[in-house]
Amino acid sequence: MTTRRDFLKYGGATAATAGMGATAGCTAVLGANTDAVTVSSQRFPEGVLLSYMAIESLRKNTDLSVIDETSLGGDPMNFRAVRSDETDLFWLYTGTAWALFPPKRDKIISKPEKLFRKVKQSMQRNYGLTMLNPAPFNNTYALIAEPEWIEKTGVKTISDFAKYVKNNQLSAPVVLGISFSQRDDGWPGMIKRYGFEKAASNLNTRTASSSLTYQIIDSTRAVIGMGFTTNPQLRQYNLKVLEDDKSFFPTYNPAPITNDIVEEKPQIREPLNAIGPTLTYEKIVDLNKKVQIEKQDPQKVARQYLRSEGLI
């Protein structure tokens, strides 16, 4: 594929024709703006919020034009767009990078710092991409449950849940996010690690938008399902997380991942590096609450946060 860098290098005619079928669609390929940085994101609120932090910081701390491609698509689409120079950066979670992108790895690394080092090395070695400073919060998958059901059954860990479904009929549905129900680092891998694949085949599993699973469990239409550890709806609905006692789920620390623009425009490195280390678990849950529950504009929330931290 001819990239935006090729377009600029060779003056445009051939590259423009080749670029018309590009993944991200659009402004980044055909704009031919040598002073532009294009920031994309996944479509879930936290990913959008993080990318707006990058956008706002770059706009305030550099003289570059910053193009907004937030809510571009899933991780694979964002990854392809950055690799092909159609966009320049998005926030990639370490656990996602380790589990989703080749080479395939079966080993789970539980230590966040070690996982980040391995992912950073792999991204550079295999794809020529640079990962910048990560955030310390861990937005990992989790099995979440209704408190009353936990009290009634005594199920507090995923091992407890595996034992329970082997010995009892669970009539209520188990509600799973669509992606989680299919990914190796989700339900299929989890039931294999915890040794209840056969019993799980008898469960009434349903899929739903990951943002709806909390409400479905709270309304007692299900007693257990999938969640994310930084989602503010856990607190809103007083849902409990089952302990991942066999450490199946990897750590998911987000970090900006960039292509060669970080070398071409080194002024972006410092503003981007400054964001992640400030984002503790409590801070991101509070920010997610503003966006997801209070329905505040994520770009404004991002801007206000950066100001509060002295980053813009």
Side-chain angles (χ1 to χ4, degrees):
M1 176 183 291
T2 304
T3 68
R4 178 160 61 98
R5 307 290 186 256
D6 295 326
F7 185 97
L8 299 175
K9 181 177 179 181
Y10 295 114
T14 302
T17 302
M20 293 302 288
T23 305
C26 42
T27 54
V29 174
L30 299 179
N33 185 348
T34 58
D35 290 325
V37 180
T38 302
V39 181
S40 67
S41 81
Q42 308 90 336
R43 288 177 177 156
F44 62 91
E46 187 175 281
V48 173
L49 178 63
L50 290 170
S51 283
Y52 272 127
M53 289 186 189
I55 289 170
E56 291 296 310
S57 184
L58 291 175
R59 284 177 175 168
K60 295 293 184 180
N61 292 303
T62 74
D63 293 327
L64 301 169
S65 298
V66 184
I67 299 171
D68 179 353
E69 286 284 0
T70 52
S71 298
L72 178 65
D75 286 294
M77 181 175 285
N78 280 277
F79 193 71
R80 287 193 300 270
V82 169
R83 285 193 68 199
S84 62
D85 295 334
E86 296 165 43
T87 62
D88 294 307
L89 70 98
F90 77 106
W91 289 72
L92 177 63
Y93 291 73
T94 51
T96 298
W98 188 252
L100 199 59
F101 300 116
K104 183 173 175 59
R105 309 170 182 92
D106 295 321
K107 181 181 179 182
I108 298 295
I109 298 176
S110 58
K111 294 182 178 179
E113 298 83 2
K114 183 177 180 181
L115 178 60
F116 176 73
R117 285 198 307 272
K118 292 285 189 181
V119 167
K120 183 175 182 177
Q121 291 169 0
S122 177
M123 289 294 112
Q124 183 64 57
R125 182 183 305 117
N126 296 308
Y127 301 104
L129 301 178
T130 300
M131 288 195 84
L132 301 176
N133 287 349
F137 73 82
N138 178 22
N139 185 10
T140 190
Y141 286 123
L143 279 194
I144 58 177
E146 186 185 41
E148 291 80 3
W149 184 81
I150 289 178
E151 185 176 350
K152 178 182 177 181
T153 60
V155 170
K156 296 181 179 180
T157 69
I158 301 179
S159 287
D160 291 340
F161 178 66
K163 183 178 179 180
Y164 181 87
V165 298
K166 287 177 182 178
N167 298 319
N168 300 274
Q169 183 177 359
L170 185 64
S171 56
V174 176
V175 59
L176 309 174
I178 297 170
S179 178
F180 180 80
S181 69
Q182 301 169 350
R183 287 171 54 146
D184 289 341
D185 59 339
W187 182 256
M190 190 205 74
I191 62 177
K192 183 177 180 180
R193 168 67 70 88
Y194 280 91
F196 67 112
E197 290 174 280
K198 184 177 179 180
S201 67
N202 296 320
L203 292 172
N204 180 11
T205 57
R206 304 283 181 85
T207 58
S209 165
S210 58
S211 63
L212 293 176
T213 57
Y214 310 87
Q215 299 172 45
I216 292 171
I217 296 171
D218 180 65
S219 67
T220 69
R221 284 177 285 166
V223 293
I224 196 163
M226 180 224 85
F228 292 100
T229 52
T230 62
N231 193 303
Q233 292 180 91
L234 281 173
R235 295 181 179 180
Q236 181 184 19
Y237 297 120
N238 192 33
L239 301 176
K240 303 301 180 184
V241 173
L242 300 188
E243 180 188 350
D244 179 17
D245 52 308
K246 291 189 177 181
S247 300
F248 168 72
F249 296 119
T251 301
Y252 290 80
N253 297 132
I257 186 164
T258 71
N259 51 34
D260 56 348
I261 198 169
V262 76
E263 303 300 332
E264 296 172 6
K265 305 185 190 310
Q267 64 267 43
I268 74 173
R269 187 182 291 268
E270 184 175 347
L272 294 174
N273 267 334
I275 300 170
T278 69
L279 287 164
T280 64
Y281 177 80
E282 290 298 329
K283 287 179 181 178
I284 196 65
V285 171
D286 181 62
L287 293 168
N288 285 337
K289 178 183 177 184
K290 290 178 180 180
V291 173
Q292 297 181 50
I293 297 176
E294 298 174 9
K295 304 302 181 183
Q296 295 185 36
D297 178 75
Q299 188 167 11
K300 291 181 180 179
V301 171
R303 188 183 305 132
Q304 290 166 356
Y305 174 75
L306 295 175
R307 285 174 180 161
S308 72
E309 294 292 323
L311 298 179
I312 60 172

